[in-house]
Amino acid sequence: MKLHEYQAKELFKGFGIPVPGGRLAHTGDEAFQAAGELKGPPWVVKAQVHAGGRGKGGGVKVVQTLEDVRKAAAAILETPLVTKQTGPEGRKVHQVLVEEGVQIDREFYLAVVVDRARARPVMIFSQAGGMEIEEVAARTPELVLKQFVDPNTGWMPYQARTLAYSVEPLPGPDTLKDLMALMGKLYKAFISLDCSLAEINPLVITRDGKVLAVDAKINVDDNALARQKELKALDDPKEKDPLDAKAEAHNLNYIRLSGNIGAMVNGAGLAMATMDVIKLAGAEPANFLDVGGGASEEMVTRGLEIILEDKKVKAILINIFGGILRCDVLARGVLAAAEKTAIKVPLIVRLEGTNVEEGRKILQESNLTFMVAKDMADAAAMVTEQVKRSA
Ligand code: GDP
Ligand code: MN
């Protein structure tokens, strides 16, 4: 689960990480009001969306007058924000963060993430902050420093020294001390909030030597939300893809992808194998959709509806190995979805397992048009053929 910058900053503040004074606003007038209560000029108006790269996309504006705060906020709220991470259609901005402007002297990158290979948190630090860390890592990998953290001992002071004393030229002693302390606080926040990512980019040193988190990003591990109830309440449904939200509401494991073959499968392993055979046959899956081993007729229906609502989908492959989810239940679910939404794209079905005869019969006796594949490779070849034909 992703949090907004203003939410992440509020949480960071609770861990003693310094952030600029700020207020949330939903209109130009509110932004004008908010800035009036903050120190300035300058003020900074920042789009609150779950996407990075806002600076370059025009979603962060530094302004000098209250009237310009109003104008900047209104402009950001008016048109969808397009950044490297939003896709060309952009993202509607529902709220902006108005902040006290900061006189920036230097910009750093600081983050804690989980390193999967080493199965432990890693603190990443770079003195080439402000830019995208991926770019820094690609161009000047020597500027990206890492400290792996033993979860048993936690973050150690020597690790903070290793990172902080790499900075050239070295900041003054007070600034350096604050920088090292901040690393410990960020690690504490990361662990306490069950984060998968806690990032500050840029972490700045101001002209008067203060260390400050000018940007903030937190991703919370979804698996921890059961015990992080306060964080769960920060979820913003407006930021979600509507199809993702629908899948979540019906307990379907759904991930939208960029291809054009909609696939409905039961079981994560079979779903991954299905995506592989689709690719092997030369096409691209439009989604990962695992309706789950014990899916009900209702879940099958919702799953197919989600695929049908995706305008990119040019053909559908249903690949079910009936076990706990019986093939007849699947068939009834498919028919229910077809009754609600006409299936206008080719449908290829591959059924095996429990009650397969009954499942096939239900489909055959319906007025649904579909093709039967004899095995997975055949199914992938057929669906790829259909997509190529429609192109
Ligand atoms: P992002 O592009 O989505 O990561 O948004 P950021 O919050 O990182 O802002 C982008 C850039 O705007 C930062 O790297 C800073 O250089 C600049 N910026 C943000 N806040 C201030 C500020 O208070 N003063 C100044 N001068 N620049 C700022
Ligand atoms: Mn940033």
Side-chain angles (χ1 to χ4, degrees), residues 44 46 52-55 60 62 100-102 104 107 130 201-202 214-215:
V44 187
K46 309 182 78 176
R54 295 165 304 166
V60 176
V62 182
E100 293 168 357
V102 176
I104 299 176
E107 296 189 320
N201 186 28
V214 159
D215 193 6

Side-chain angles (χ1 to χ4, degrees), residues 125-127 143 145 160-170 176:
F125 175 73
S126 176
Q127 52 179 318
L143 290 183
L145 305 181
R161 286 195 292 276
T162 307
L163 295 181
Y165 278 87
S166 74
V167 176
E168 276 176 53
L170 205 61
L176 208 54

Side-chain angles (χ1 to χ4, degrees), residues 1 32-33 53 61 76 78 91 107 129 140 177 182 185 205 210 218 244 308 324 352 362 374 379 385 391:
M1 186 184 101
F32 177 92
Q33 277 275 327
K61 295 204 165 108
I76 290 174
E78 195 176 72
R91 195 73 71 76
E107 296 189 320
T140 45
K177 215 171 82 190
L182 191 145
K185 291 169 186 170
I205 297 180
K210 298 253 178 343
I218 286 181
D244 284 342
L308 291 168
I324 304 169
E352 281 305 337
I362 291 170
K374 56 181 196 298
E385 163 77 26

